[in-house]
Amino acid sequence: MAIVTRYFGVTSAGAADGTTWADRAALLTAGVWSPVLLTFNFAGSDSLVCRIGPGTHTAAAALAAGLFVSAPTLPNVLPMHGCDSSGNLLTPPDPDWVCAAPAWDDSGLPVIATTTNVATSSMASTLWRLIKFTASGRNGSMISTGVLDWCSFADSTNNSAAIAFAGCSATNCLVSMTGDAYEAAVSVSTTAAVNCRLQGVTGSSGNRYGLRNTGNSVIFWAADHCTIFGFGGPGVAHTSATATHAAGVRSSTIINNGGSGILLPATASQTTQYQIRNCVLSGNGAFGVDAQSAANTWLVNNRYRDNTSGPTNGMGNYPEFDAYTTDTDDATEFVDASGLDFRIKNSAASWGRGFGAGDQEGARLRPRMTNAL
């Protein structure tokens, strides 16, 4: 039993067998994934770590289980990890980063790109770390399963089905959607986004959600310490039509979206309960939270300001606790809203109260998880 390492560049070098950086294989040749990767025996006793070097690697087909002689498994996993021009593993650019602060610098990451309507990966049992993904023609999700950590997504596709990633557990990731039409930055059902920063544009068609939550079961938390802003539709939209589905949102900054900050489902006779806690919901084009008269929702310790239609709607007989609605403005409350720094300013009255995805220095770098049931 061993963990095997192989090295990959934009082009090959030396023996091209991937055994060292000097003998690295090309990750993709004419868009086709390397046989060094695809012929590795994951059915044996070893796992494989792929170190992916700098530059742009362009894929013409998705990395998928059917391409492998024996695909990765849960015991024998496949980490795909960015490395530098000497084959050394990259490290997070700012380990203390919180997603309410400006985006971390992704300029040193290797890039895996697609330019046509193909996915990047549908591989389970795979971890992607410190890699940037770009797409300009993908009419669906770029990555549809796996684990993501310190990855960056830039999706410029103009299509109402475009999604950066779906079905992935993600931490510390950046997502930017810049097409006029898209479905969502992120779609989750049984997975979660933690400390992720999702940025959209108003656009003109498609649902244009920030985070879309689907599924048939209960998940806590679908969005946890996330910053979600600039989308044409709701910041977070729960779209499941199943009465037994519920998902929570916690310690997130959800601002300046075209629809409600959080839109809960309109499915009648729901048998579960939602929780929305410690969130900043400001500047959204409808409500801060819209329960649509059907979702059974606990609201605790949330900050509301300047949502066009008001703080909440459709709460039924569910009370709200510790709501903070004192009026102010972006310049007073955030470190630098024009520079997209949405941490709570340390001179603001809302500073240090556990709202949103991060406070300015002097408060908690990673906000504590408060008011848990």
Side-chain angles (χ1 to χ4, degrees), residues 138 155-163 177-184 201-208:
R138 173 58 180 152
D155 192 341
S156 60
T157 304
N158 185 13
N159 184 276
S160 60
I163 299 172
M177 305 295 290
T178 58
D180 283 337
Y182 56 93
E183 170 65 12
V201 293
T202 299
S204 59
S205 61
N207 287 314
R208 290 164 287 152

Side-chain angles (χ1 to χ4, degrees), residues 63 119-124 138 141-146 164-168 187:
L63 187 66
T120 305
S121 174
S122 60
M123 278 297 307
R138 173 58 180 152
S141 58
M142 296 163 66
I143 295 182
S144 58
T145 187
F165 65 83
C168 300
S187 181

Side-chain angles (χ1 to χ4, degrees), residues 9-29:
V10 173
T11 57
S12 62
D17 59 7
T19 54
T20 66
W21 178 249
D23 294 313
R24 59 192 175 273
L27 181 66
L28 292 137
T29 301

